[in-house]
Amino acid sequence: MKDFFRKNMKNISPYLFIAPFFMLFIVFFLYPIFYSLVLSFSKWTSGGLEFVGIQNYLYLLTDPVFWKSLVNTGQILVIQVPIMLLLACIVAVLINSKHTKYKALFRLGFFVPVIIDLVTYSLVFSLMFNERYGIINQFLTSIGIEGIPWFSNGIWAKVMIAIAMTWRWTGYNSIIILSGLQSIPGTIYEAATIDGANKIDTFFKITIPMLKPVLLFCMILSTIGTLQLFTEPYMLTKGGPNNETLTAIYYIYDRAFGSFKFGLASAGAYIVTTIIGILSYIQLKVSDGGEI
Amino acid sequence: MNNKKEFTKILVYIFLGLGLVISIYPFYWMLTASTLNEAQIFKTPPKMIPAGNFLDNLSMLLDQMPIWNGLFNSLFVSTVTTASIVLLSALAGYAFSKFNFKGSKILFAVILLTMMIPYQVTIVPLFIIMMKLGWINSYKALIIPYLVTPFGVFLMRQQMFAFPEELIESARVDGCSELGIFFRIVLPNMLPSCAALAIITFLQQWGNFMWPLIVMNTQEKFTMPLMLSMLVAPGQVTKYGPIMVGSVIGIIPIAILFIFFQKQFVSGMFNGSVKG
Amino acid sequence: MKRYSIMILVSLLALSIIVSGCGSKGASNTGANDNDKGKPAEISIASWNLQADALDEAAEKFNASQSEVKVNVRRVSNSYDSIVPALTAGIGAPDIVAVQMRDFANFMGKFPDQFVDLSDELMPRKDEFSDAGWGASTKDGKIYAIPVDIAPTAVYYRKDYFEEAGINPDNLTTWDKFMRAGKKLQSKLDGVKMTTFSLTSNETYDFWQMIANQLGGRFYDEQGKIDFTNEANIKAMKLVKELKEKDLVVDSPSWNDRVRAVVNGETATIVYPIWWAGTVKTQAADQAGKWGIMPLPAFTEGGPNQANLGGSVFAVTTQSEHPEAAWKFLKYLLLTEEGQKIQMDYGLFPAWKPFYKSESFATVDKYFGFSLAKRFGELATDIPAMKFGQYFYDVSRPLETAFGQILNGNKDIKEAFKDAEKAASKASGLPVSK
């Protein structure tokens, strides 16, 4: 008996290892997800669930406001994620450089924005971007540029949200990239310098390719995070002006907790999930199937 | 040649320094605001120098919310869930990365998929489960649903790929049990990754306020972020000075955590997955 | 060494599960059943911020004064995040919930069997409450909630600014006169505009609603069909637009911006209900004695000048195991002078009219220098009721979009409202009127 276990332990043990995780996972993640999937095909009333097929999905796909929210989310995604990742790379490389002192200070300082609490975050950013009093517009007018309509103009509102997100997440991503950088053996750089490569060439031809797994990781996570964007619009602009900063998840939240249309909200969430899935898949394929 | 180098160096420091200032500015604002009294907070131009009202604001804050309870609740819940998530994710991540067992691909794909589903969607079903189990307004509701997260497994599996197979094999040959191999050989060497996951998880758990909002009913059981958000009430009197004091208090545990585990976090996030 | 740390982690985990098991009670909101002799029936009431603070005090007094009912106060957010799941699930709701007036019809529609019919108690007492308080508590002729507070609206004005500009508030009886006075004031006072509200965010809605309410505006016609393009609504929007075009408004997109405008003395007036007073007192403490209250200007001499923006109701949930106990508490809180005095202390203006005659109602407010309650009471006598209907959310969102298009996109008012009607119709499933 003991022998049986000893011989087969190697085959049985993975199942044992994942068991605790899966037991909890099934109850607290899979079951609610399954329930909400059912919900998305139903109309929810206080009496119970009424099966309505794809009615919810059709409603959403023909609702111009839902499309607008998807477009808004997409616009923010396309601008914010690449810029943030580039910035994070630059910061990481600079901090990593052997010329830079006070590494620990910079690491801490750049990381710190992720730990901010939401109340302070929304207060300070609303204040900074306030069209009349905010320091940003004050600074701009002092150097002769007209103040920017951060809240009253749709495009600038999106930019403001992108800036806020970048502030919050660049440091975090740069620390992750920094960690990847430190795994790159110094010998490669030495060889490159001997061959006569300059700093910029090194950056684009050696560093970035070597960081591919890290960058992919950050990119996928940032994409998922941005597609699920809710916090910044909710705190700063409440989706305005004119629904210009209404994101997909905000739309869904409104339906769920504002109009109590849970079936609709669930359907919306699954549409968003599908989009996230497709985009992540594309990102993986395009990067030549990085190991994920 | 030297001048150019010096010049670049200065540029780099200016760039990094500017970034640092921008990153820290809101925290400076938070600290300053916590020492001002109400009338000063909304004046323009805003007063950027700390004043002396911190203690007054603190006592006003305590009048409104049992902040120390909130701090304890947040610490307790975040610590327990983080510990569990790290341990269980490490176990599962190890299994997924080092064992090629039947169904592993599918199971992992499921985990990946669930990461993409927005959490708002599962809130109502989860709430119903809590109701049926009778866990509403208890720590169980805050902790147990979060004893595992898909992201944890995703990350640990990623990290574990780098662990050398040979060490595992030789341990097996030596007669070590599978569990023993995990606890005595693999895990001790993956501590930086665990630290990284711990920090990320702790952050997420600490800041999670939608869930406590829904399942907790009495003030004493609220978590810190929840207490603070309850104090902000457009349409009613909102005192920002005390709220900022709360924010300052709330940041301290996380800041301490990161300061101490900085090194591990940096080295642990992408342990050796960049091939030389 | 490292092995021990793992063991510690695991034991911590086990310990925490045990500990949290010990510390919690059940989820039930009642601690005793009626048969227990001597044990009070426990009920819970849920609300937020100031109302919750008032409830804490009222519950304490009520609990001390008798031993059959024990009231526990639950703190929730005013976006009902914790109430809605409970009502949805059919379990876990408190015995009494606070709901804003404009949301209650929505609640009644979505949760048709979750609220106790209070008609027996309240129908005979209907006239004791201000009309404005009945905007949402009734359905199919039955009463499902008791009006708690209303929010009569007035114009807060800076006495010192008016004096300096030579304006007499008693003369501002119409909006035309108000706008002319505004021009005069702005020419004499630098850096001050006549009034402030949001011109660029979704919050324009609040100002518009006060004016529309004043004129008897509505969202639905008599048959319950969607109607935004009625005369009152359009006239109200025209005023909003005119105020903007005449440059009489400091744009304050968010609540904090309005506070800032007041604190920094950039606005001579602000149109808001009584609940604004608390904020002014706290955040503009150094302006004590400088603020006065005057009625809303009318559109024609002697025309209607009262409006309401806000207000809430309490409803007893059918999930409650002690509805009679719940009603006992509500009676204490809202139908006695003692209870209403507590409400008033926290800035909640009672919908219950008998309280207006009490002494405490006439107390002079130190900050303002006169009795706020009395002044607002005079403006609470003829507030038109505004039906928010079952789908307020679906109705207000399209309107918010319309306002943006009108003010910032120069769309024609009627056209924008018509588009809003269509959007509201799609979202709510109700047909459009006409």
Side-chain angles (χ1 to χ4, degrees), chain B residues 45-60:
Chain B
K47 196 162 187 277
M48 287 316 295
I49 305 160
N53 292 72
F54 188 82
L55 290 175
D56 283 335
N57 285 340
L58 179 61
S59 72
M60 277 199 272

Side-chain angles (χ1 to χ4, degrees), chain A residues 35 39 42-52 56 259-264, chain C residues 87-90 107-114 390-391:
Chain A
Y35 186 98
L39 202 57
S42 331
K43 194 169 185 163
W44 171 81
T45 57
S46 162
L49 294 180
E50 189 191 312
F51 184 71
V52 292
N56 290 332
S259 317
F260 309 149
K261 296 191 177 136
F262 295 107
L264 203 59
Chain C
L87 291 173
T88 313
F107 271 70
M108 283 195 289
K110 283 291 155 139
F111 309 107
D113 42 10
Q114 292 279 346
Q390 186 165 338
Y391 304 100

Side-chain angles (χ1 to χ4, degrees), chain B residues 221-237:
Chain B
K221 300 211 174 140
F222 287 169
T223 56
M224 264 297 269
L226 183 59
M227 283 192 187
L228 292 181
S229 70
M230 284 277 198
L231 289 173
V232 178
Q236 304 204 317
V237 181

Side-chain angles (χ1 to χ4, degrees), chain A:
Chain A
M1 198 49 190
K2 235 184 180 178
D3 277 342
F4 171 79
F5 269 114
R6 184 107 48 85
K7 277 203 195 113
N8 292 300
M9 214 24 167
K10 188 173 175 213
N11 296 329
I12 298 179
S13 50
Y15 294 102
L16 293 176
F17 280 17
I18 64 174
F21 171 80
F22 263 98
M23 288 194 296
L24 290 162
F25 185 64
I26 291 175
V27 174
F28 296 108
F29 278 86
L30 291 185
Y31 173 70
I33 289 178
F34 176 71
Y35 186 98
S36 67
L37 197 57
V38 170
L39 202 57
S40 76
F41 290 105
S42 331
K43 194 169 185 163
W44 171 81
T45 57
S46 162
L49 294 180
E50 189 191 312
F51 184 71
V52 292
I54 56 172
Q55 199 184 85
N56 290 332
Y57 289 92
L58 285 177
Y59 177 93
L60 289 170
L61 294 173
T62 55
D63 183 1
V65 181
F66 183 64
W67 280 108
K68 181 131 195 65
S69 75
L70 286 174
V71 167
N72 291 340
T73 314
Q75 287 172 329
I76 296 180
L77 175 75
V78 165
I79 301 179
Q80 195 264 338
V81 172
I83 292 184
M84 177 190 72
L85 286 180
L86 187 63
L87 216 56
C89 276
I90 296 177
V91 170
V93 165
L94 289 180
I95 295 184
N96 193 42
S97 151
K98 57 185 190 285
H99 300 300
T100 314
K101 290 188 234 168
Y102 314 120
K103 283 200 200 327
L105 174 69
F106 283 120
R107 272 202 312 247
L108 186 62
F110 276 98
F111 183 77
V112 133
V114 283
I115 71 178
I116 202 167
D117 71 283
L118 294 181
V119 175
T120 310
Y121 182 43
S122 73
L123 204 53
V124 175
F125 273 81
S126 315
L127 208 51
M128 286 202 301
F129 282 92
N130 185 296
E131 293 179 26
R132 270 175 313 125
Y133 308 107
I135 52 173
I136 296 189
N137 275 4
Q138 299 268 349
F139 172 70
L140 288 174
T141 44
S142 73
I143 59 173
I145 307 178
E146 213 182 292
I148 296 180
W150 296 109
F151 286 94
S152 45
N153 175 290
I155 298 179
W156 285 110
K158 289 192 182 105
V159 172
M160 170 176 66
I161 291 194
I163 295 179
M165 293 173 72
T166 307
W167 174 84
R168 190 142 81 115
W169 296 105
T170 301
Y172 178 82
N173 281 294
S174 73
I175 304 285
I176 295 179
I177 295 176
L178 186 64
S179 138
L181 276 177
Q182 296 190 336
S183 315
I184 300 180
T187 45
I188 294 199
Y189 288 115
E190 280 163 26
T193 331
I194 293 177
D195 282 347
N198 66 25
K199 284 266 150 61
I200 299 194
D201 262 347
T202 327
F203 181 72
F204 281 105
K205 294 208 182 121
I206 298 186
T207 316
I208 295 211
M210 294 239 78
L211 284 177
K212 207 167 77 166
V214 188
L215 287 179
L216 193 63
F217 178 81
C218 286
M219 183 159 69
I220 292 189
L221 284 184
S222 304
T223 304
I224 295 181
T226 306
L227 282 170
Q228 297 186 357
L229 180 61
F230 172 70
T231 313
E232 277 78 3
Y234 184 70
M235 309 242 109
L236 293 174
T237 56
K238 288 271 181 297
N242 283 354
N243 289 339
E244 290 290 333
T245 56
L246 186 73
T247 57
I249 299 294
Y250 196 160
Y251 175 95
I252 292 173
Y253 172 84
D254 253 2
R255 292 291 160 281
F257 289 95
S259 317
F260 309 149
K261 296 191 177 136
F262 295 107
L264 203 59
S266 298
Y270 284 107
I271 295 182
V272 174
T273 305
T274 312
I275 296 178
I276 294 180
I278 295 176
L279 274 175
S280 302
Y281 184 73
I282 293 178
Q283 281 176 333
L284 276 175
K285 279 287 172 214
V286 165
S287 62
D288 302 319
E291 173 79 42
I292 206 72

Side-chain angles (χ1 to χ4, degrees), chain A residues 242, chain C residues 198-209 212 219 228 233-234 236-237 240-241 244 395-411 413 416-417 420:
Chain A
N242 283 354
Chain C
S198 166
L199 289 173
T200 50
S201 75
N202 289 347
E203 299 189 21
T204 310
Y205 180 87
D206 285 348
F207 181 75
W208 172 85
Q209 191 187 290
F219 305 109
F228 296 167
N233 288 6
I234 295 188
M237 192 61 215
V240 174
K241 199 167 176 192
K244 175 187 183 194
V395 150
S396 59
R397 284 301 214 184
L399 275 174
E400 287 168 8
T401 311
F403 297 155
Q405 291 166 334
I406 296 169
L407 288 177
N408 300 312
N410 290 313
K411 200 170 182 182
I413 296 183
F417 277 24

